[in-house]
Amino acid sequence: MSFKNKVVLVTGASSGIGAATAVLFAKEGADVVIVARNETKLKNVAQECAKVGKYPLVIKADVSDDDDDRRIINDTIAKFNKLDVLVNNAGILRFGPILDGQITEQYDEIMKTNVRSVVRLTSLAAPYLVKTKGNIVNVSSVAGYSISDKAAAYCTSKAALSHFSRASALELACHGVRVNAVSPGPVNTDIFANSDTIKTFEDFGVKTALNRVSGPEEIADLILFLASDKAKGITGSDYVSDNGYLLLK
Ligand SMILES: NC(=O)c1ccc[n+]([C@@H]2O[C@H](COP(=O)([O-])OP(=O)(O)OC[C@H]3O[C@@H](n4cnc5c(N)ncnc54)[C@H](OP(=O)(O)O)[C@@H]3O)[C@@H](O)[C@H]2O)c1
């Protein structure tokens, strides 16, 4: 699945699923743009991309900031003159009970990062994607389909993201732009370390039918497939890759 001469922008590329996705696209020959806040981690991922393909454009940015979102798209176009694929992967996980009185602040933080940034980047990138007949892959979650205890805001954000993916798929289809989502189950990444809990999947008793947790590369493979011409007939879909997690819910 060659992405030679394709420009691929991946948000949240400093670790986990986003990092694996950036490296995979680089390996397939793409000009990759990697975005996140942690510059040191981004530079490490850039080195990994360079080992298998080209050194990417590195953009240190906070996707929850409107000005940063504009800069992400402007810098991408200034460097490569086009955009073929947007992977909206940046996301945060937070836990908190409704009764502790903090849910509103938590909801605002999560929705700004997990949903509003995707709405904004989609709108800023869309004119360029129309020109290339490109596509978008949004990284949602099985949390959009099932409830994890005391993660109401996170689950709500992922349900909203999956729905926004379908809405944007319909709206952009007449311009030849595809939009899909992937909904992973548990994946071994820094997501818990970057959250507000010291717990892990094991502490939460997370179970999957296949009795395994995925590696980030498995989700990257799925994203690459959806972004490729092999998926030219796929839009408005939300692909679950969860080791059978939802079967047990
Ligand atoms: N791991 C799982 O089990 C799982 C399951 C289902 C869905 N997902 C989804 O997969 C996506 C990737 O998560 P992950 O598991 O790979 O976790 P991760 O290792 O914590 O990666 C999250 C990425 O998002 C970036 N990010 C967070 N807030 C940002 C912001 N405001 N601006 C720019 N970048 C931001 C982080 O970079 P910086 O901190 O450097 O900014 C990091 O690169 C998320 O949307 C998550 O909800 C994960």
Side-chain angles (χ1 to χ4, degrees):
M1 269 183 265
S2 174
F3 277 82
K4 218 166 168 240
N5 299 322
K6 299 284 185 194
V7 179
V8 179
L9 165 52
V10 184
T11 68
S14 65
S15 68
I17 294 168
T21 302
V23 173
L24 188 59
F25 274 110
K27 197 173 166 192
E28 297 299 328
D31 286 309
V32 180
V33 184
I34 60 173
V35 176
R37 295 163 302 179
N38 187 313
E39 216 169 2
T40 309
K41 283 184 174 184
L42 272 178
K43 283 192 176 147
N44 289 338
V45 175
Q47 299 289 359
E48 291 305 310
C49 290
K51 275 187 209 160
V52 295
K54 285 181 234 167
Y55 197 91
L57 172 62
V58 178
I59 304 179
K60 179 183 186 254
D62 179 346
V63 295
S64 70
D65 182 289
D66 280 6
D67 294 338
D68 278 12
D69 288 333
R70 185 167 287 287
R71 184 166 54 82
I72 291 165
I73 300 301
N74 286 353
D75 287 2
T76 300
I77 300 303
K79 169 88 179 167
F80 296 114
N81 219 14
K82 66 166 189 157
L83 177 65
D84 295 284
V85 178
L86 169 63
V87 181
N88 285 308
N89 164 77
I92 51 169
L93 172 66
R94 298 285 181 267
F95 291 94
I98 288 167
L99 282 173
D100 80 352
Q102 307 296 314
I103 189 81
T104 318
E105 289 80 0
Q106 191 185 75
Y107 175 87
D108 286 345
E109 183 195 8
I110 288 182
M111 292 303 275
K112 243 179 139 180
T113 304
N114 294 6
V115 186
R116 193 176 186 283
S117 72
V118 177
V119 175
R120 183 153 169 83
L121 284 170
T122 298
S123 119
L124 291 166
Y128 299 103
L129 294 171
V130 167
K131 282 188 194 159
T132 56
K133 305 270 178 261
N135 70 83
I136 300 175
V137 182
N138 293 325
V139 181
S140 191
S141 170
V142 288
Y145 296 92
S146 65
I147 303 301
S148 309
D149 196 25
K150 310 220 172 30
Y154 180 76
C155 295
T156 303
S157 78
K158 292 302 185 178
L161 179 55
S162 287
H163 220 45
F164 178 71
S165 302
R166 287 183 282 271
S168 37
L170 179 61
E171 210 172 309
L172 295 175
C174 60
H175 300 285
V177 175
R178 300 184 296 110
V179 184
N180 290 291
V182 297
S183 281
V187 184
N188 254 327
T189 67
D190 292 349
I191 194 155
F192 277 94
N194 289 334
S195 78
D196 55 354
T197 180
I198 51 164
K199 290 184 178 176
T200 63
F201 287 127
E202 292 75 42
D203 297 325
F204 282 99
V206 168
K207 289 193 175 66
T208 68
L210 292 176
N211 200 24
R212 68 185 291 278
V213 166
S214 286
E217 297 78 13
E218 294 169 48
I219 311 304
D221 281 336
L222 183 56
I223 293 169
L224 189 101
F225 168 72
L226 286 171
S228 77
D229 281 347
K230 284 191 190 284
K232 58 176 176 276
I234 303 176
T235 197
S237 290
D238 186 353
Y239 276 69
V240 171
S241 173
D242 70 343
N243 295 292
Y245 171 87
L246 287 178
L247 294 174
L248 303 181
K249 286 298 243 185

